[in-house]
Amino acid sequence: METPSEIRQSPHGPLLEVRELTVTYGDNRAPALQSVGLQIRPGEIKGIIGESGSGKSTLALTMLGLLPAKARVRGSVWLQSEDGRQDLLQLAESNWQSIRGAKISMIFQEPSLSFSPVRRIGCQIADGIRAHGFDTEAKAESQALEILEDLLPGKSDRVFKAYLHQLSGGELHRAVIARALACRPALVIADEPTRDLDAAMEAEVLELFQEVNRKTGAAFIFITHNPALLVRLADHVAVMYGGQIVEQGPLTQVFRKPLHPYTSGLLALVSEAVEGTTGRPKHLPVIRGSLSASDLLSRGCTFEPRCPSRSAVCRQDVPVKIAAGGGREVMCFNHGS
């Protein structure tokens, strides 16, 4: 059997491929996503970073077919599985049951909302397993207990029988991950899973994701607004701004030498404060301004109003995706400046 590291280097095609994905909500003229392209390889951990409103969560919901009815969608999302290659955007709702949980699962921002407070944790995990092929309650509960033991050794029986309010913060996060992994999906999407956690709990959750990735070979999409969380976690990173992926590539290369001014700004925000000559820390850097609806509808680059490297062409034309070598892509006229 291939190890996760060997899976990442597999010559086979991507597990999931997003092509020219554009999403618009209701009567909004400005798209929430615009011509997004992304690949996830088997066993890969892909980080997606960007400010609130950049389109990260919309991208995740599209991959799971959970967009509201008012959303208008163009493009394709191709999933490779034992059933062959299929465009998820062409599925009828009745066909999604064989995808959600079984092939792609999601960990949402608020873990306490993943469980009902009036039923035992293990029974709820077993419900999902039964929905995807186990015909007896006993078999489903046995598998639920097994995955809990993997993530909570020595505590699995107690957690299985517990109600939501009886779990500690660490136990709850592990139970949520157990539920996401219960049907052994090939891809897990984690949307801001460490939001509002203290530093110790945050480190524990990140270590758990790495452990699960090593043991199961499942691919992960880790969505966050904080680049620092990805440093020791992700293989590749995609940077989103204004509904577009403005830069992507191997994480070590992107973080060591960002090409897009927005990526540079994000990384500067999490750098350590620079000491001045007086010994007092200087003001932390900021990305001036904010994204507005008019920016999304402008004729030029969406980031131009906030960009320290902008030039005349940025106000007139829309940058296109450029292959920058080493598996990197960037959308910027003045990339690397």
Side-chain angles (χ1 to χ4, degrees):
M1 180 180 293
E2 290 179 304
T3 67
S5 60
E6 290 170 336
I7 292 172
R8 291 193 187 102
Q9 300 171 18
S10 170
H12 304 299
L15 169 66
L16 186 115
E17 183 176 13
V18 178
R19 292 184 179 178
E20 294 295 319
L21 181 63
T22 297
V23 176
T24 307
Y25 290 115
D27 297 327
N28 291 340
R29 294 175 57 203
L33 294 177
Q34 186 170 354
S35 300
V36 168
L38 187 73
Q39 290 188 355
I40 310 296
R41 299 191 67 81
E44 176 185 12
I45 301 181
K46 173 86 75 175
I48 299 181
I49 57 174
E51 296 170 288
S52 296
S54 61
K56 305 186 302 297
S57 293
T58 294
L59 177 58
L61 294 175
T62 305
M63 293 176 185
L64 277 169
L66 294 176
L67 290 174
K70 65 179 180 179
R72 302 193 306 277
V73 185
R74 298 196 309 272
S76 57
V77 178
W78 293 94
L79 176 68
Q80 182 69 46
S81 69
E82 66 277 6
D83 299 324
R85 196 164 183 261
Q86 55 186 329
D87 182 2
L88 301 182
L89 298 187
Q90 301 304 316
L91 294 182
E93 179 57 34
S94 58
N95 299 124
W96 271 103
Q97 183 175 345
S98 64
I99 302 294
R100 297 190 193 111
K103 296 174 183 176
I104 305 175
S105 63
M106 187 161 180
I107 299 170
F108 293 93
Q109 293 182 11
E110 180 46 67
S112 63
L113 298 180
S114 298
F115 292 104
S116 166
V118 297
R119 298 188 65 225
R120 297 184 189 277
I121 296 297
C123 293
Q124 295 183 66
I125 296 175
D127 285 346
I129 297 172
R130 289 194 69 189
H132 293 289
F134 280 82
D135 55 358
T136 69
E137 184 176 350
K139 287 182 179 179
E141 290 187 355
S142 176
Q143 183 168 321
L145 192 61
E146 181 181 330
I147 188 69
L148 283 172
E149 181 61 27
D150 285 342
L151 298 176
L152 289 150
K155 299 181 180 179
S156 58
D157 188 61
R158 179 178 61 80
V159 172
F160 185 99
K161 297 174 182 176
Y163 291 95
L164 179 62
H165 70 277
Q166 295 174 315
L167 299 184
S168 68
E171 289 170 344
L172 174 57
H173 275 83
R174 287 175 180 264
V176 167
I177 295 172
R179 187 172 194 175
L181 295 171
C183 296
R184 300 183 175 89
L187 174 63
V188 180
I189 303 171
D191 189 4
E192 299 273 9
T194 61
R195 192 169 188 169
D196 300 327
L197 295 182
D198 60 34
M201 183 63 68
E202 184 178 84
E204 181 180 331
V205 171
L206 293 177
E207 184 177 342
L208 180 58
F209 278 120
Q210 290 177 303
E211 178 185 339
V212 169
N213 174 254
R214 287 194 299 268
K215 286 184 176 180
T216 70
F220 279 83
I221 296 176
F222 193 96
I223 298 172
T224 180
H225 64 278
N226 184 0
L229 298 184
L230 302 178
V231 172
R232 289 176 293 179
L233 178 68
D235 304 304
H236 289 75
V237 63
V239 183
M240 296 195 69
Y241 184 81
Q244 298 177 309
I245 293 179
V246 297
E247 181 171 0
Q248 61 179 316
L251 182 135
T252 53
Q253 295 182 35
V254 173
F255 278 23
R256 185 178 298 122
K257 189 178 180 181
L259 298 177
H260 198 282
Y262 178 65
T263 309
S264 298
L266 281 181
L267 296 176
L269 293 177
V270 297
S271 298
E272 294 182 359
V274 179
E275 293 292 326
T277 55
T278 63
R280 296 179 180 178
K282 295 181 179 180
H283 291 296
L284 288 173
V286 297
I287 302 176
R288 297 188 180 279
S290 60
L291 179 66
S292 67
S294 61
D295 296 335
L296 296 172
L297 297 171
S298 65
R299 62 183 296 180
C301 174
T302 302
F303 188 59
E304 184 271 334
R306 306 174 68 187
C307 182
S309 303
R310 62 182 179 267
S311 57
V313 68
C314 304
R315 289 188 289 273
Q316 300 298 321
D317 298 322
V318 177
V320 296
K321 189 184 300 180
I322 299 170
R328 299 182 65 177
E329 295 178 345
V330 63
M331 292 179 63
C332 181
F333 293 113
N334 303 307
H335 60 87
S337 61

Short mmCIF file of all heavy atoms in Angstrom, two decimals, residues 78-106:
data_model
loop_
_atom_site.label_atom_id
_atom_site.label_comp_id
_atom_site.label_asym_id
_atom_site.label_seq_id
_atom_site.Cartn_x
_atom_site.Cartn_y
_atom_site.Cartn_z
N TRP A 78 -14.41 18.41 -11.12
CA TRP A 78 -14.23 17.01 -11.48
C TRP A 78 -13.67 16.21 -10.31
O TRP A 78 -12.67 16.59 -9.71
CB TRP A 78 -13.30 16.87 -12.67
CG TRP A 78 -13.87 17.43 -13.94
CD1 TRP A 78 -13.68 18.69 -14.43
CD2 TRP A 78 -14.73 16.76 -14.85
NE1 TRP A 78 -14.38 18.86 -15.60
CE2 TRP A 78 -15.02 17.69 -15.89
CE3 TRP A 78 -15.27 15.47 -14.91
CZ2 TRP A 78 -15.85 17.35 -16.96
CZ3 TRP A 78 -16.09 15.14 -15.98
CH2 TRP A 78 -16.36 16.07 -17.00
N LEU A 79 -14.33 15.11 -9.98
CA LEU A 79 -13.88 14.20 -8.92
C LEU A 79 -13.51 12.86 -9.52
O LEU A 79 -14.28 12.27 -10.29
CB LEU A 79 -14.98 14.01 -7.88
CG LEU A 79 -14.67 13.01 -6.75
CD1 LEU A 79 -13.57 13.55 -5.84
CD2 LEU A 79 -15.93 12.70 -5.94
N GLN A 80 -12.30 12.38 -9.16
CA GLN A 80 -11.85 11.06 -9.60
C GLN A 80 -12.08 10.06 -8.46
O GLN A 80 -11.63 10.28 -7.34
CB GLN A 80 -10.36 11.09 -9.96
CG GLN A 80 -9.80 9.77 -10.47
CD GLN A 80 -10.34 9.41 -11.84
OE1 GLN A 80 -10.37 10.25 -12.73
NE2 GLN A 80 -10.77 8.17 -12.01
N SER A 81 -12.79 8.99 -8.74
CA SER A 81 -13.05 7.98 -7.71
C SER A 81 -13.13 6.61 -8.37
O SER A 81 -12.91 6.47 -9.58
CB SER A 81 -14.37 8.28 -6.98
OG SER A 81 -15.48 8.07 -7.84
N GLU A 82 -13.46 5.60 -7.58
CA GLU A 82 -13.58 4.26 -8.14
C GLU A 82 -14.71 4.17 -9.16
O GLU A 82 -14.78 3.23 -9.95
CB GLU A 82 -13.78 3.22 -7.01
CG GLU A 82 -15.09 3.36 -6.25
CD GLU A 82 -15.03 4.41 -5.15
OE1 GLU A 82 -14.00 5.11 -5.04
OE2 GLU A 82 -16.01 4.50 -4.38
N ASP A 83 -15.61 5.14 -9.12
CA ASP A 83 -16.72 5.16 -10.08
C ASP A 83 -16.35 5.87 -11.38
O ASP A 83 -17.17 6.04 -12.27
CB ASP A 83 -17.94 5.87 -9.46
CG ASP A 83 -18.45 5.15 -8.23
OD1 ASP A 83 -18.40 3.91 -8.22
OD2 ASP A 83 -18.87 5.83 -7.28
N GLY A 84 -15.10 6.31 -11.49
CA GLY A 84 -14.66 7.05 -12.67
C GLY A 84 -14.57 8.54 -12.37
O GLY A 84 -14.60 8.97 -11.22
N ARG A 85 -14.48 9.32 -13.41
CA ARG A 85 -14.34 10.77 -13.29
C ARG A 85 -15.69 11.41 -13.58
O ARG A 85 -16.29 11.16 -14.63
CB ARG A 85 -13.27 11.26 -14.27
CG ARG A 85 -12.76 12.67 -14.00
CD ARG A 85 -11.46 12.89 -14.76
NE ARG A 85 -10.89 14.21 -14.47
CZ ARG A 85 -11.03 15.27 -15.28
NH1 ARG A 85 -11.74 15.16 -16.40
NH2 ARG A 85 -10.47 16.41 -14.96
N GLN A 86 -16.15 12.26 -12.67
CA GLN A 86 -17.46 12.87 -12.86
C GLN A 86 -17.43 14.34 -12.46
O GLN A 86 -16.71 14.74 -11.54
CB GLN A 86 -18.53 12.13 -12.06
CG GLN A 86 -18.24 11.99 -10.58
CD GLN A 86 -19.25 11.12 -9.86
OE1 GLN A 86 -20.41 11.06 -10.23
NE2 GLN A 86 -18.81 10.41 -8.83
N ASP A 87 -18.24 15.13 -13.17
CA ASP A 87 -18.39 16.55 -12.88
C ASP A 87 -19.47 16.71 -11.82
O ASP A 87 -20.65 16.48 -12.09
CB ASP A 87 -18.76 17.32 -14.15
CG ASP A 87 -18.89 18.82 -13.92
OD1 ASP A 87 -18.65 19.29 -12.79
OD2 ASP A 87 -19.24 19.53 -14.88
N LEU A 88 -19.07 17.10 -10.61
CA LEU A 88 -20.01 17.21 -9.50
C LEU A 88 -21.09 18.24 -9.75
O LEU A 88 -22.20 18.14 -9.20
CB LEU A 88 -19.26 17.54 -8.20
CG LEU A 88 -18.18 16.54 -7.77
CD1 LEU A 88 -17.56 16.98 -6.45
CD2 LEU A 88 -18.77 15.14 -7.65
N LEU A 89 -20.80 19.25 -10.55
CA LEU A 89 -21.80 20.29 -10.81
C LEU A 89 -22.94 19.79 -11.68
O LEU A 89 -23.97 20.48 -11.80
CB LEU A 89 -21.13 21.51 -11.46
CG LEU A 89 -20.05 22.20 -10.64
CD1 LEU A 89 -19.60 23.48 -11.33
CD2 LEU A 89 -20.53 22.50 -9.22
N GLN A 90 -22.78 18.63 -12.28
CA GLN A 90 -23.84 18.07 -13.12
C GLN A 90 -24.70 17.05 -12.37
O GLN A 90 -25.64 16.50 -12.94
CB GLN A 90 -23.23 17.39 -14.36
CG GLN A 90 -22.39 18.34 -15.22
CD GLN A 90 -23.16 19.55 -15.68
OE1 GLN A 90 -24.31 19.45 -16.11
NE2 GLN A 90 -22.54 20.73 -15.58
N LEU A 91 -24.40 16.81 -11.09
CA LEU A 91 -25.14 15.81 -10.33
C LEU A 91 -26.51 16.32 -9.91
O LEU A 91 -26.67 17.48 -9.52
CB LEU A 91 -24.37 15.40 -9.07
CG LEU A 91 -23.04 14.67 -9.24
CD1 LEU A 91 -22.47 14.32 -7.88
CD2 LEU A 91 -23.21 13.42 -10.09
N ALA A 92 -27.49 15.44 -9.95
CA ALA A 92 -28.77 15.72 -9.33
C ALA A 92 -28.62 15.59 -7.82
O ALA A 92 -27.73 14.88 -7.33
CB ALA A 92 -29.83 14.74 -9.84
N GLU A 93 -29.48 16.27 -7.07
CA GLU A 93 -29.37 16.24 -5.61
C GLU A 93 -29.43 14.80 -5.08
O GLU A 93 -28.76 14.47 -4.10
CB GLU A 93 -30.48 17.08 -5.00
CG GLU A 93 -30.50 17.11 -3.47
CD GLU A 93 -29.18 17.60 -2.85
OE1 GLU A 93 -28.53 18.49 -3.48
OE2 GLU A 93 -28.80 17.10 -1.79
N SER A 94 -30.21 13.96 -5.72
CA SER A 94 -30.34 12.57 -5.25
C SER A 94 -29.02 11.81 -5.35
O SER A 94 -28.82 10.81 -4.65
CB SER A 94 -31.42 11.85 -6.07
OG SER A 94 -31.10 11.88 -7.46
N ASN A 95 -28.13 12.25 -6.23
CA ASN A 95 -26.84 11.56 -6.39
C ASN A 95 -25.78 12.04 -5.41
O ASN A 95 -24.72 11.41 -5.27
CB ASN A 95 -26.30 11.76 -7.81
CG ASN A 95 -27.22 11.18 -8.86
OD1 ASN A 95 -27.65 11.87 -9.79
ND2 ASN A 95 -27.55 9.90 -8.74
N TRP A 96 -26.04 13.15 -4.72
CA TRP A 96 -25.04 13.70 -3.82
C TRP A 96 -24.85 12.84 -2.56
O TRP A 96 -23.81 12.92 -1.90
CB TRP A 96 -25.41 15.12 -3.41
CG TRP A 96 -24.86 16.15 -4.35
CD1 TRP A 96 -25.53 16.84 -5.32
CD2 TRP A 96 -23.51 16.61 -4.41
NE1 TRP A 96 -24.68 17.70 -5.99
CE2 TRP A 96 -23.44 17.57 -5.45
CE3 TRP A 96 -22.36 16.31 -3.70
CZ2 TRP A 96 -22.26 18.23 -5.78
CZ3 TRP A 96 -21.18 16.96 -4.03
CH2 TRP A 96 -21.13 17.90 -5.06
N GLN A 97 -25.84 12.01 -2.22
CA GLN A 97 -25.73 11.20 -1.00
C GLN A 97 -24.53 10.26 -1.07
O GLN A 97 -23.91 9.96 -0.05
CB GLN A 97 -27.01 10.40 -0.77
CG GLN A 97 -26.96 9.59 0.53
CD GLN A 97 -28.28 8.89 0.82
OE1 GLN A 97 -29.30 9.21 0.23
NE2 GLN A 97 -28.25 7.93 1.72
N SER A 98 -24.18 9.82 -2.26
CA SER A 98 -23.04 8.91 -2.40
C SER A 98 -21.71 9.66 -2.40
O SER A 98 -20.64 9.03 -2.36
CB SER A 98 -23.16 8.11 -3.70
OG SER A 98 -23.09 8.97 -4.83
N ILE A 99 -21.76 11.00 -2.42
CA ILE A 99 -20.55 11.82 -2.43
C ILE A 99 -20.26 12.40 -1.05
O ILE A 99 -19.18 12.22 -0.50
CB ILE A 99 -20.68 12.97 -3.45
CG1 ILE A 99 -20.95 12.41 -4.86
CG2 ILE A 99 -19.42 13.84 -3.43
CD1 ILE A 99 -19.84 11.62 -5.45
N ARG A 100 -21.24 13.13 -0.50
CA ARG A 100 -21.05 13.81 0.79
C ARG A 100 -20.82 12.79 1.90
O ARG A 100 -21.62 11.89 2.10
CB ARG A 100 -22.25 14.68 1.14
CG ARG A 100 -22.52 15.81 0.18
CD ARG A 100 -23.59 16.75 0.74
NE ARG A 100 -24.07 17.66 -0.30
CZ ARG A 100 -25.28 17.61 -0.83
NH1 ARG A 100 -26.15 16.69 -0.42
NH2 ARG A 100 -25.63 18.48 -1.76
N GLY A 101 -19.77 12.97 2.62
CA GLY A 101 -19.45 12.07 3.73
C GLY A 101 -18.67 10.85 3.29
O GLY A 101 -17.72 10.44 3.95
N ALA A 102 -19.05 10.26 2.15
CA ALA A 102 -18.40 9.04 1.70
C ALA A 102 -17.12 9.33 0.91
O ALA A 102 -16.11 8.65 1.09
CB ALA A 102 -19.37 8.23 0.84
N LYS A 103 -17.17 10.35 0.02
CA LYS A 103 -16.00 10.66 -0.80
C LYS A 103 -15.41 12.02 -0.46
O LYS A 103 -14.20 12.22 -0.54
CB LYS A 103 -16.38 10.60 -2.28
CG LYS A 103 -16.80 9.20 -2.70
CD LYS A 103 -17.31 9.15 -4.13
CE LYS A 103 -17.78 7.75 -4.49
NZ LYS A 103 -18.36 7.69 -5.85
N ILE A 104 -16.27 12.96 -0.12
CA ILE A 104 -15.82 14.28 0.33
C ILE A 104 -16.59 14.61 1.60
O ILE A 104 -17.81 14.51 1.63
CB ILE A 104 -16.11 15.38 -0.73
CG1 ILE A 104 -15.51 15.03 -2.08
CG2 ILE A 104 -15.56 16.72 -0.25
CD1 ILE A 104 -15.86 16.02 -3.18
N SER A 105 -15.88 14.98 2.64
CA SER A 105 -16.55 15.40 3.88
C SER A 105 -16.04 16.78 4.27
O SER A 105 -15.04 17.26 3.76
CB SER A 105 -16.33 14.40 5.00
OG SER A 105 -14.96 14.33 5.34
N MET A 106 -16.76 17.41 5.21
CA MET A 106 -16.41 18.78 5.58
C MET A 106 -16.45 18.96 7.09
O MET A 106 -17.32 18.41 7.78
CB MET A 106 -17.37 19.76 4.91
CG MET A 106 -16.98 21.22 5.11
SD MET A 106 -17.78 22.29 3.89
CE MET A 106 -17.13 23.90 4.38
#
